[in-house]
Amino acid sequence: MSTAEYSRKLDEIDRLLNDPDVPMQPDRVWSLLAEVSGSAQAPDSAHPRRPAV
C-alpha cells in the first residue's frame, strides 16, 4: 500500500468517525482499520510500533 493510499484510508476513517453529517458505517470502519493495521508498508511515523513490555 502506498503512502498516499494509506493516508486516504486514515482520512476516510477519520471522516466516518468524526463527521456528524456522515452516517455511521461500522463495517466500513472495521474494514479500513484492518487494512491499515495489516499494512507492512505503513509509514513508520504514521504507524509507530511500541516495544513489548
Side-chain angles (χ1 to χ4, degrees):
M1 172 182 321
S2 71
T3 302
E5 186 178 7
Y6 182 81
S7 293
R8 280 192 300 273
K9 289 177 190 266
L10 290 180
D11 288 343
E12 184 176 354
I13 292 168
D14 182 58
R15 183 181 57 82
L16 289 167
L17 293 174
N18 296 310
D19 187 338
D21 297 326
V22 175
M24 182 54 69
Q25 300 174 37
D27 291 344
R28 181 68 181 145
V29 172
W30 284 114
S31 174
L32 287 165
L33 287 171
E35 290 178 36
V36 298
S37 68
S39 173
Q41 296 179 2
D44 291 334
S45 62
H47 191 141
R49 304 237 186 249
R50 292 186 187 177
V53 177

